[in-house]
Amino acid sequence: MPVASNTVSVFDGDVKDRPPQPYPLHSHVYGIYNSLRMRPWQFAAITSVELTLQQNNLEGGALERCSRNLGVQARENGCQFEGTLNGEYPKTRQLTEDEREMFRTVPRMPFLGSTLSLERICIGAPITHLTIRLNRTDWWTWTDHPEAHDVKKKLRLEPMINHTQPPHNDMAMDQGREARRKGAEPEFPLDNFEKDGRWGPQIAEFWPNLQTLELVFETFRAKEAQLDDVISAAKLWKFPMQGNAVLECSGDPTLLHWQGAGHYGYEHEAPWVLRPPTTLPQTLQASKWSLWSRVTGADARGQPQDDHGQHFLVRSLMFERRVISSRRQEGE
């Protein structure tokens, strides 16, 4: 499988929620190198990553963990991959100036078979695309009833705070949206330690070569209004990058409705998910519809299939890297 033209999927969350194995190009965040069973030149060729994680991990350093395990900083420095350290972290070697100069003239073609060519292709390629995915049970409040009026029980996400759950951050997403609508970035009362934990600035710090960033959010159909509220705020997010650049939302969000099995094993944590839908989403006619994990006569656990599979929806936003002109900066 050509690694350079395929996305590597990384998972950082509760082990019981980890997708079934084996999947090609799929790994837990710890021990990525060994899990993917790649040779150094294959690992070096990775340029696109999809990170599926729980919200508490997104706000708890997952972007840094994944970056370190993929050797993003080593790629930034033009290092050569040589294997693994302790079965977890990639082993790298800093090139000398003479080697850098020599490899500039060597094509990245592993099939040539020469020693020099094989050494050349072990130099890490920059990772230019990252997808951050939160699935339906990854949100802090996924078990809370969709009709709850308390803001603490609704889906919320804000890149400029380090933790969604503390009471003083209850309105952070709304405050951030209002500030950005006025053309300013929100300022939250955080100390230096809390500022280091914000996942928004970690994009530039640990993923400096990104050209595109995709955010993919899934939830239960009953929480569609809550997810729409998150998307309304997220469309205004900007992620400052190095080189006078920024990752900005580049278009309208995509929408996918899909219907799954009747039971997945988590229903005891949120019994309301078993309530069969009385109507289909109004947006169904204008969206893509798919069936997944529907097996005749059985659900995802092999139990007898009922007539009502659970309904979900997925919204995604794409952010593209753009250079900020001096005129635009002056206007801001």
Side-chain angles (χ1 to χ4, degrees), residues 12-32:
D12 188 359
D14 193 321
V15 174
K16 69 179 177 61
D17 295 328
R18 182 179 179 180
Q21 295 285 34
Y23 273 150
L25 302 186
H26 185 281
S27 168
H28 193 273
V29 69
Y30 296 105
I32 293 176

Side-chain angles (χ1 to χ4, degrees), residues 203 211 213 237-239 241 246-248 319-321:
I203 298 291
Q211 298 300 312
L213 169 69
W237 294 347
K238 296 180 181 180
F239 302 94
M241 304 294 287
V246 63
L247 288 168
E248 290 183 332
F319 295 75
E320 294 183 353
R321 190 182 190 117

Side-chain angles (χ1 to χ4, degrees), residues 129-203:
H129 175 80
L130 175 66
T131 296
I132 297 175
R133 177 184 293 273
L134 271 68
N135 289 329
R136 58 188 180 275
T137 62
D138 290 332
W139 301 86
W140 280 110
T141 56
W142 77 269
T143 60
D144 290 306
H145 198 282
E147 297 176 3
H149 295 291
D150 189 345
V151 67
K152 297 184 181 67
K153 297 183 178 181
K154 295 184 177 182
L155 303 181
R156 293 168 292 142
L157 191 62
E158 165 56 52
M160 296 305 290
I161 59 173
N162 66 317
H163 203 307
T164 299
Q165 289 299 81
H168 61 271
N169 285 336
D170 285 348
M171 301 302 297
M173 186 177 78
D174 295 321
Q175 292 166 354
R177 172 168 41 208
E178 290 307 309
R180 294 181 180 101
R181 282 175 176 170
K182 296 176 181 178
E185 281 298 308
E187 290 287 342
F188 299 104
L190 306 176
D191 59 32
N192 289 335
F193 177 79
E194 291 171 322
K195 288 181 178 179
D196 288 342
R198 300 173 299 175
W199 66 270
Q202 290 175 358
I203 298 291

Side-chain angles (χ1 to χ4, degrees), residues 9 26 33-34 50 58 70 106 109 120 163 172 177 205 227 251 270 280 288 293 313:
S9 298
H26 185 281
Y33 188 97
N34 279 359
E50 178 183 81
L58 176 62
L70 283 166
V106 178
M109 300 175 66
R120 167 64 181 88
H163 203 307
R177 172 168 41 208
E205 182 178 1
L227 186 58
L280 292 177
K288 187 178 179 181
S293 297
L313 65 130

